[in-house]
Amino acid sequence: MTKNVGTVDKLLRIVLGVVLIALTLAGVIGVWGWIGIVPLATGLLNTCPLYSLLGVKTCQ
């Protein structure tokens, strides 16, 4: 897999993913919060399949 997620993008994805998962575990939001796994995984792996399809690359 080619890296296509930059540093700022990566940090935002990880924070968003952790926040969504934490809110779900705390019972603040429903099961839809588990969607936070997607941005968390793409942030940790430095690759986004949607970016690949669209030809977007936020890293240098």
Side-chain angles (χ1 to χ4, degrees):
M1 286 189 192
T2 305
K3 293 183 180 183
N4 59 5
V5 175
T7 305
V8 174
D9 194 5
K10 175 182 179 168
L11 291 174
L12 290 174
R13 288 170 183 264
I14 291 172
V15 169
L16 177 66
V18 169
V19 167
L20 285 172
I21 293 169
L23 289 173
T24 300
L25 292 173
V28 176
I29 57 177
V31 296
W32 285 103
W34 288 111
I35 198 74
I37 292 171
V38 174
L40 180 61
T42 57
L44 292 174
L45 296 174
N46 293 329
T47 186
C48 177
L50 184 59
Y51 277 11
S52 295
L53 289 174
L54 298 175
V56 176
K57 190 172 185 181
T58 61
C59 61
Q60 298 170 344

